[in-house]
Amino acid sequence: MDSVLVNPAALARGLAQTLPGETVTVFENTPVLRADFGQQVTLNTVSGRVIADNIILATNVFTSSFGFLKSRLLPFFLTASLTRPLSDDEFSLIGRAKDWGLISGHRMGATVRLTDDRRIFIRNTADCRFTPHQKAGELDHFRRIHEDGIARRFPMLPGLKIEHTWGGFVCMTRNRTTAFGQLSRNVFTSTAYNGSGVSKASLFGKLLADKIAGAGSSELTAAEEMAPPKWMPPRPILDLGVQAAVLSTRRHLGKDG
């Protein structure tokens, strides 16, 4: 069976650019300040209001911020870095291979790949955040971790510098399941993909549209029969459990996954 590497940012941009303009309107950089769930759903934003009979919360780890799935979702902050392009000599030192990608068999292991423009990509950090927000200035810390990981994997490239570092959140659940279906009378969601968002979100998004449109299928039935995300204990008990699990995984994988 063949597999492919997908740039998720390019995928998201491409989907937004090809949506049917006559039926879909995309609002970017428009944070929701308040959501009221009544006979209709009203979203208050910095630029105005959106009123709808039904709403799909495709908000992943931020779904609990709207009052749903409380004590069910764990936000994990992942970071990645991309080096400058390799020179001809550096490219020769690693065998002049065609672009490739390696993904750890463990869900918290490292991802390393060589891009088609000769850059080395690495992702090898995963930290649980009970408040899903990025901290100011912390990317420098993760960049140093990535530099160390690259240096140990590619000791023949001592002068290779990182040009870009970024981070984002994935949503995990205690029992590794996805929250799918109807949350209230006019609120629907597909949330928590446990690190496999591109594939799972595509599948469950289509099935959720089928559910709202009243189009049944065996796949939809299977999705609706999934076990819901398990409840998690309150903090600080939850903190101790998560920290113990993360430390155990790091000891198993080694310092940098």
Side-chain angles (χ1 to χ4, degrees):
M1 184 176 67
D2 293 333
S3 60
V4 296
L5 286 169
V6 176
N7 181 327
L11 174 62
R13 294 190 192 102
L15 289 173
Q17 291 167 0
T18 56
L19 289 170
E22 65 276 9
T23 55
V24 177
T25 302
V26 178
F27 296 94
E28 294 186 285
N29 301 313
T30 310
V32 174
L33 304 178
R34 191 179 74 249
D36 298 318
F37 302 98
Q39 291 297 316
Q40 291 181 307
V41 178
T42 302
L43 303 179
N44 295 275
T45 77
V46 293
S47 304
R49 293 189 303 168
V50 176
I51 301 174
D53 292 331
N54 297 286
I55 188 173
I56 296 174
L57 291 178
T59 42
N60 216 27
V61 74
F62 298 97
T63 303
S64 57
S65 299
F66 291 91
F68 299 100
L69 301 174
K70 291 285 191 179
S71 300
R72 308 277 175 171
L73 308 176
L74 274 176
F76 271 80
F77 185 61
L78 275 59
T79 57
S81 286
L82 198 63
T83 70
R84 62 164 172 78
L86 301 180
S87 67
D88 288 342
D89 289 341
E90 290 170 330
F91 191 45
S92 296
L93 288 173
I94 63 169
R96 304 187 69 84
K98 185 181 178 182
D99 56 299
W100 49 262
L102 297 173
I103 300 176
S104 172
H106 195 286
R107 63 180 177 273
M108 292 185 68
T111 299
V112 183
R113 64 165 297 192
L114 176 71
T115 67
D116 57 5
D117 61 347
R118 298 184 183 181
R119 299 174 187 264
I120 291 176
F121 165 96
I122 186 169
R123 186 218 54 80
N124 65 351
T125 64
D127 292 307
C128 183
R129 298 284 177 82
F130 294 101
T131 301
H133 298 289
Q134 183 174 318
K135 300 174 184 176
E138 69 177 334
L139 288 183
D140 289 339
H141 165 70
F142 291 113
R143 183 182 295 110
R144 290 191 291 271
I145 295 176
H146 298 155
E147 288 173 344
D148 181 64
I150 290 174
R152 288 199 275 162
R153 288 176 171 85
F154 302 95
M156 73 292 290
L157 304 175
L160 189 58
K161 299 296 184 182
I162 285 175
E163 284 193 346
H164 307 283
T165 301
W166 65 96
F169 287 90
V170 297
C171 185
M172 309 289 288
T173 59
R174 180 180 171 188
N175 53 338
R176 306 289 187 268
T177 192
T178 297
F180 178 89
Q182 195 163 359
L183 296 175
S184 66
R185 186 184 64 81
N186 53 4
V187 180
F188 301 82
T189 195
S190 177
T191 291
Y193 303 115
N194 298 279
S196 302
V198 172
S199 55
K200 288 184 178 179
S202 300
L203 170 63
F204 288 121
K206 177 183 182 302
L207 294 178
L208 191 61
D210 288 345
K211 175 179 175 61
I212 295 171
S217 68
S218 58
E219 292 83 1
L220 176 58
T221 299
E224 293 183 308
E225 291 177 349
M226 287 189 304
K230 284 187 176 180
W231 175 86
M232 293 178 291
R235 303 179 67 186
I237 298 173
L238 179 60
D239 302 55
L240 295 173
V242 170
Q243 290 171 10
V246 170
L247 287 174
S248 176
T249 298
R250 286 175 177 167
R251 283 196 298 268
H252 173 72
L253 292 174
K255 182 178 178 182
D256 69 344

